[in-house]
Amino acid sequence: MTYRAPVKDMLFAMTELAGLAQVAQLPGFEEATAETAQAVLEECAKLNEGVIAPLNREGDRNPSSWKDGVVTTTPGFKEAFRQFVEGGWQGLQHPVEFGGQGLPKTIGAACGEMLNSANLSFALCPLLTDGAIEALLTAGSDTQKATYIPPMIEGRWTGTMNLTEPQAGSDLAAVRTRAEPQPDGTYRIFGTKIFITYGEHDMAENIVHLVLARVTGAPEGVKGISLFIVPKFLVNADGSLGARNDVHCVSIEHKLGIKASPTAVLQYGDHGGAVGYLVGQENRGLEYMFIMMNAARYAVGVQGIALAERAYQKAVAYARERVQGRPVDGSLPKAGPILHHPDVRRMLMTMRAYTEGCRAMAAVAAAAYDAAHAHPDAAVRARNQAFYEFMVPLVKGYSTEMSLEVASLGVQVHGGMGFIEETGAAQYLRDAKILTIYEGTTAIQANDLVGRKTARDGGATAKAIAAQIEATEGELARHGGAAAAAMRKRLAAARAAFVEVVDYIVANTKTNPNAAFAGSVPYLMLAGNVMAGWQMARALLAAEHKLAAGEDTAFMQAKVTTARFYADHILSKVPGLRDSIVEGAEGVTAMALDAF
């Protein structure tokens, strides 16, 4: 079973839900028309379907390897990476002045989904490089930008993000890597970093490590962390590569999934100190790294959608060909494909509805990001920025938790054969698990949603979104029809539950934090479900409108059916989640600690 990029669904999400026509009116994005989007997506699909997707199983069977400090990637990865960067894909949404294509995130995110569907392990290298470029664009000096960004966009160099240490995982206040200032303005870096994705590999000639470290004498905690560029090879004044820097890969991890992606332990300063260059100002490193983190968090949410799509396609192909049991309705005289069985269809519809709902949510968030960065009106920029920031933990948290459920259903559709590695269904389940962990676990996304995104503004952003959802309910009421009526009923109940939970979170975050945070992940899941469900409601309206005009009947009918399924089977879970949050905190916190 090979991967087929869902170009039509991506274009539907972009044009009908994300408002690509409005994005193309923003200064700098005039080229980003529906025609451009289609051409870019079709070209991207060719590369991912033909070159990168076939390497996915090979990477799982024959992962990256480490020997004497050298990491060798899966056979075929290096050549595929050449084709990827030569096609300009690394620079898709980076500025033209540095050699990028300058396309909006609305288009870039769809291409990112394809790459991750094709090969999650492979896609991690460009994902981290994107983050490094983004951080330098925001906080780097003009010289740093000119030196490091063009070679990363060209794919001659790649980028990494070095936060984690053995004692400092999610708690970055515990970072101990140290930076000693030198008379020439550089720093010497000493310490160990772990879990560094593509921290060492053979696909590019240089690796630009962005490293969090503490300058000698800096304050304790997060206030004393600075950000440094520490290249694998030092860069000469003319841009050529100079001496090898004192940073070395001492091992790579053996993992549950994403096996082809080398996860490195990097040692800095074993031979006198690695040369590092301060990014921005001392002690503002965490602030700069969060730029990279937020870009990566959205991208990991897209990885969840991508993996769910791939697992769904594989399960559908199997359900069409696997013959087992007579249909319960007697529609076939003998045993037929399991696609005829109602529960198999329920599982496939669940996989499909989750994937389409999260894709739509991510597309709408991407368009808000584009408006937040490019709209000429400051008030419009601020409104879109607030919306985008509210959506990031949902895109990351909900889409990745969803992908785990979808990948598990994919194994279930395969039955016993799904548990056998040869079918390939199990790889998606193993690969999916990391998505809920890296770039901030689901609980960290939920803490962000509760503290920064909901309690801080007294629920104002959340309630502004709820008002937009209510407007969609009004459209559903005016539209009429059975599917619209069912969706309206579920969406209204979900919105009401969402508002009640927002009020609860706002009321309790400071006065009873254990109660508020006991419900933080359920709140994230509820909010993600509501936002994806809202986009499915909008998709239903758009598809019904196109059906009435006789456009692409089969596709639009399937869109309506999927939206109706989302309403009845997924959105319907929201009121129950509300109850567990608003009324269930005691059950979480009551148990005596020594009773566990």
Side-chain angles (χ1 to χ4, degrees):
M1 159 66 191
T2 52
Y3 167 65
R4 285 284 167 264
V7 172
K8 190 181 278 193
D9 197 64
M10 290 172 168
L11 289 169
F12 178 91
M14 266 186 232
T15 54
E16 303 303 321
L17 307 177
L20 185 63
Q22 283 74 47
V23 173
Q25 288 170 4
L26 297 170
F29 293 147
E30 294 84 359
E31 302 289 305
T33 61
E35 293 72 29
T36 300
Q38 182 163 350
V40 170
L41 264 57
E42 285 173 355
E43 203 53 42
C44 191
K46 277 184 208 161
L47 175 72
N48 284 295
E49 291 170 359
V51 176
I52 296 169
L55 293 170
N56 191 48
R57 288 293 301 285
E58 180 59 23
D60 194 51
R61 288 199 200 102
N62 189 1
S64 296
S65 58
W66 177 93
K67 189 178 181 191
D68 301 329
V70 175
V71 172
T72 305
T73 51
T74 297
F77 268 42
K78 196 191 295 191
E79 295 75 15
F81 186 69
R82 276 300 107 223
Q83 289 192 52
F84 174 81
V85 294
E86 282 165 9
W89 298 106
Q90 185 72 67
L92 198 68
Q93 56 190 76
H94 296 305
V96 175
E97 65 190 284
F98 295 108
Q101 314 278 327
L103 285 169
K105 192 180 189 85
T106 311
I107 294 175
C111 293
E113 184 196 320
M114 284 187 214
L115 182 64
N116 282 287
S117 273
N119 194 325
L120 196 65
S121 288
F122 179 92
L124 279 162
C125 186
L127 188 156
L128 270 299
T129 302
D130 278 338
I133 291 168
E134 197 113 4
L136 292 179
L137 282 170
T138 309
S141 67
D142 287 345
T143 303
Q144 288 171 344
K145 289 177 192 173
T147 303
Y148 296 100
I149 293 176
M152 284 198 281
I153 284 176
E154 289 167 28
R156 290 190 290 116
W157 303 354
T158 62
T160 70
M161 164 177 185
N162 285 230
L163 292 81
T164 311
E165 299 175 11
Q167 79 297 337
S170 301
D171 181 11
L172 293 173
V175 162
R176 288 281 163 266
T177 296
R178 74 181 197 277
E180 296 179 359
Q182 303 299 302
D184 65 357
T186 65
Y187 293 74
R188 293 281 167 165
I189 311 294
F190 300 88
T192 304
K193 293 290 185 179
I194 63 169
F195 298 162
I196 309 307
T197 300
Y198 279 90
E200 179 58 44
H201 63 85
D202 57 359
M203 301 195 317
E205 62 190 35
N206 201 8
I207 303 172
V208 181
H209 301 296
L210 290 192
V211 183
L212 286 184
R214 213 175 273 286
V215 177
T216 310
E220 283 299 305
V222 293
K223 289 190 168 63
I225 296 173
S226 301
L227 181 64
F228 298 89
I229 297 168
V230 186
K232 176 180 170 180
F233 288 96
L234 299 174
V235 183
N236 298 321
D238 64 357
S240 63
L241 296 184
R244 180 78 160 80
N245 209 350
D246 186 10
V247 49
H248 299 279
C249 176
V250 294
S251 66
I252 59 174
E253 307 293 353
H254 300 94
K255 308 188 296 289
L256 175 69
I258 56 163
K259 294 185 174 188
S261 168
T263 303
V265 177
L266 295 181
Q267 189 66 39
Y268 289 85
D270 269 2
H271 307 286
V275 178
Y277 308 93
L278 181 70
V279 177
Q281 297 171 6
E282 280 189 11
N283 303 329
R284 289 183 66 187
L286 206 58
E287 179 190 331
Y288 305 144
M289 189 59 98
F290 261 102
I291 294 153
M292 203 168 172
M293 286 276 275
N294 269 331
R297 283 176 174 180
Y298 177 91
V300 171
V302 170
Q303 288 188 310
I305 298 160
L307 190 137
E309 174 66 38
R310 189 82 191 262
Y312 168 70
Q313 288 190 19
K314 185 150 194 70
V316 170
Y318 185 80
R320 287 186 191 285
E321 66 190 30
R322 171 65 167 160
V323 172
Q324 195 79 183
R326 281 186 63 194
V328 292
D329 64 356
S331 56
L332 293 176
K334 55 182 183 179
I338 60 171
L339 189 56
H340 286 267
H341 300 318
D343 192 62
V344 171
R345 288 163 76 174
R346 178 194 62 82
M347 289 191 283
L348 293 174
M349 284 303 298
T350 303
M351 297 170 81
R352 179 184 183 125
Y354 267 133
T355 306
E356 288 188 16
C358 288
R359 177 180 295 125
M361 174 171 70
V364 168
Y369 174 95
D370 291 329
H373 285 75
H375 201 283
D377 184 325
V380 176
R381 285 201 303 277
R383 195 165 64 243
N384 278 282
Q385 185 65 25
F387 178 82
Y388 177 73
E389 286 181 359
F390 189 87
M391 298 302 282
V392 166
L394 306 183
V395 170
K396 201 290 186 183
Y398 185 67
S399 301
T400 60
E401 292 287 349
M402 169 284 287
S403 73
L404 199 53
E405 184 176 338
V406 168
S408 180
L409 284 170
V411 173
Q412 192 74 15
V413 170
H414 283 74
M417 293 307 295
F419 202 70
I420 308 297
E421 286 289 356
E422 279 73 11
T423 59
Q427 184 189 342
Y428 303 128
L429 182 57
R430 289 186 288 98
D431 284 355
K433 187 58 232 175
I434 189 58
L435 304 181
T436 65
I437 298 171
Y438 62 21
E439 303 304 343
T441 63
T442 305
I444 285 173
Q445 308 305 321
N447 288 355
D448 178 44
L449 181 66
V450 168
R452 291 191 192 89
K453 309 297 164 63
T454 304
R456 185 183 281 178
D457 71 357
T461 300
K463 288 192 171 175
I465 297 169
Q468 290 179 260
I469 295 172
E470 198 168 3
T472 300
E473 291 163 35
E475 287 181 57
L476 290 163
R478 286 190 294 278
H479 178 79
M487 175 58 89
R488 179 172 169 249
K489 176 184 169 185
R490 302 298 184 192
L491 188 60
R495 173 188 46 82
F498 171 64
V499 171
E500 284 184 55
V501 170
V502 168
D503 287 338
Y504 176 83
I505 294 292
V506 169
N508 285 281
T509 300
K510 279 204 166 63
T511 56
N512 191 359
N514 281 345
F517 285 94
S520 61
V521 168
Y523 169 41
L524 181 144
M525 297 303 288
L526 179 153
N529 191 336
V530 173
M531 297 309 148
W534 173 34
Q535 298 314 320
M536 291 301 270
R538 295 180 63 226
L540 186 152
L541 286 164
E544 293 267 27
H545 181 72
K546 290 193 175 294
L547 274 173
E551 281 184 51
D552 204 349
T553 309
F555 176 83
M556 296 304 164
Q557 189 55 61
K559 188 53 89 175
V560 171
T561 303
T562 306
R564 170 80 190 258
F565 179 92
Y566 194 103
D568 287 340
H569 293 266
I570 300 174
L571 203 49
S572 56
K573 297 176 183 178
V574 167
L577 273 174
R578 173 260 171 222
D579 295 349
S580 71
I581 298 162
V582 175
E583 297 161 21
E586 182 70 14
V588 177
T589 57
M591 184 71 78
L593 295 182
D594 58 6
F596 280 98

